[in-house]
Every structure is written in C-alpha cells, then in structure tokens.
Amino acid sequence: QPETAAVLKRTVEALMERGAVVRNLENLGERSLPYKISRHKERHKRGGYFLIDLEAPPSIVSLMMDHLGRDIDVIRRAFVKHPVAKAEECSGIIPVSPEEKLSAKK
Amino acid sequence: QPIQMENPYKDPPKKCVLCGINVDYKNVQLLSQFVSPYTGSIYGRHITGLCSKKQKEITKAIKRAHVFGFMPVMFKNPQFLTDPKLHNIKY
C-alpha cells in the first residue's frame, strides 16, 4: 500500500513537471483484473485502478505515455478525453417511413 | 370548418432502454448487459433495440473497457450473470 502511494506520487509529480493541472484523483478500488496481463516480464492478476482528472496541453500525452511505459509498477496506461456532458435531449426512436428507407443514401 | 392541426392523440416517440442514461466505460455492469455471457461478443442493434446514438456509444465504451482492463473480453463477468434480461435472445 505505501508502494501504490509512492507510484501515485511519482506520476503526479511527473505530470506537474510537464505543466499539467491535476484536478482530482480517484481510486476505483483494487480488484482482480478481468484477464491476466503481462507487463515488464511479469504476469499480473490483481491491480489497483486510479483515475486522474487532468488539464494539460496535448503535447504532454506522448511524453507521459513514454514515462509511464518505463515505470515497472504501472501495468496499463491510458489517456481519455473528458466526456462533455451534453445530449440530454435523446428524443427516442423516430419512426422512419419505408420510402425514406428505400431512398436513403448508403 | 375543421381546424388543421397535427394529430393530438399521437404517442410520444418510443424511447430505447438507455434513453436518459449516461453511458460510461467505467460502469462495467451496464456494459456487460449488452454482451453475450458465452462468447463475450457485443449484441447487434437488432437484438438490443437501441437507437443508433446509444448503440454507437455502448460499443465504443465496451471496446474501451476491454482495452483498459475493466471488462473481460472472451466472456461475461460471472458477477453480472444474474442481471435481468434485456433482450429476447434465444441461445
């Protein structure tokens, strides 16, 4: 458990160094992985999941992937864009008339 | 003289199952409901009955969850096997 804290601290410091603003750090729990992952010459079965909320310029992404790839304690790394919360107006399935279906472009 | 107006007795458009729900790659339970328990393959639109937007979102989220290590690929997580049936599929 102090090791995970050390890993997190390292990554957050590296991020701040490259000029990223860390908004939030969430722990999604430690569970057994859905499939065995081999990384750095080891087969892993259990892992901890962490989510870091970031604001950063896109040039950081490749640098950080490199940096995290060299870290032995990190099993899998990924960057995801923030889901823009919109589309509240999902208006249901609009029935399409058969003529429209025939003349629809493919 | 009859007034021209659109049909006041029309039903509101039918909503798909996920119509108001926000789809996230993190809630594995929701995503596992659209995956076969035997092979782990994603169900098509003719089985799930979702609108095109939501089906696209779900497939993207499932593929993301596979890659990030949230959801198993070849089967369905046994924790979520007893979820209520959403589709009328006969295996």
Side-chain angles (χ1 to χ4, degrees):
Chain A
Q1 207 239 357
E3 300 146 351
T4 40
V7 172
L8 283 170
K9 201 162 165 210
R10 257 184 287 155
T11 42
V12 172
E13 272 173 12
L15 281 163
M16 312 256 278
E17 249 182 275
R18 320 283 160 100
V21 180
V22 176
R23 264 191 279 188
N24 198 6
L25 169 57
E26 281 165 16
N27 178 3
L28 305 164
E30 183 190 314
R31 18 184 163 152
S32 55
L33 303 170
Y35 41 88
K36 291 181 261 201
I37 303 182
S38 34
R39 200 115 194 84
H40 299 289
K41 307 170 192 166
E42 252 192 39
R43 287 279 260 187
H44 301 275
K45 289 194 206 167
R46 288 194 67 86
Y49 291 76
F50 296 93
L51 177 66
I52 308 183
D53 262 338
L54 273 212
E55 272 200 28
S59 45
I60 281 197
V61 173
S62 40
L63 295 170
M64 279 317 294
M65 294 292 261
D66 210 29
H67 182 264
L68 291 168
R70 272 181 254 129
D71 193 341
I72 312 182
D73 293 319
V74 175
I75 303 180
R76 196 158 276 192
R77 57 209 194 270
F79 279 85
V80 172
K81 276 202 289 192
H82 235 290
V84 186
K86 62 130 192 170
E88 299 286 339
E89 6 85 16
C90 184
S91 57
I93 312 176
I94 308 169
V96 184
S97 76
E99 300 150 345
E100 276 177 30
K101 272 200 193 167
L102 271 180
S103 60
K105 295 188 282 186
K106 244 237 158 151
Chain B
Q1 276 285 345
I3 314 174
Q4 290 291 341
M5 60 193 294
E6 57 172 80
N7 188 354
Y9 298 108
K10 241 190 206 171
D11 305 314
K14 271 193 275 201
K15 303 217 155 194
C16 64
V17 185
L18 293 181
C19 234
I21 303 173
N22 191 18
V23 173
D24 202 6
Y25 67 92
K26 286 176 238 131
N27 59 352
V28 187
Q29 183 149 32
L30 173 65
L31 268 64
S32 304
Q33 283 182 320
F34 296 96
V35 160
S36 161
Y38 297 108
T39 56
S41 47
I42 310 177
Y43 288 141
R45 197 173 308 165
H46 54 288
I47 302 179
T48 60
L50 294 169
C51 45
S52 49
K53 260 200 290 189
K54 285 295 169 180
Q55 177 79 21
K56 204 66 190 275
E57 276 179 34
I58 284 254
T59 31
K60 292 227 117 169
I62 293 183
K63 299 242 168 127
R64 259 194 190 166
H66 284 168
V67 161
F68 293 164
F70 281 104
M71 197 160 99
V73 185
M74 299 297 292
F75 55 91
K76 192 160 152 176
N77 199 329
Q79 250 189 325
F80 307 133
L81 270 185
T82 46
D83 282 344
K85 260 178 57 159
L86 279 186
H87 337 290
N88 53 349
I89 187 174
K90 281 200 240 170
Y91 299 109

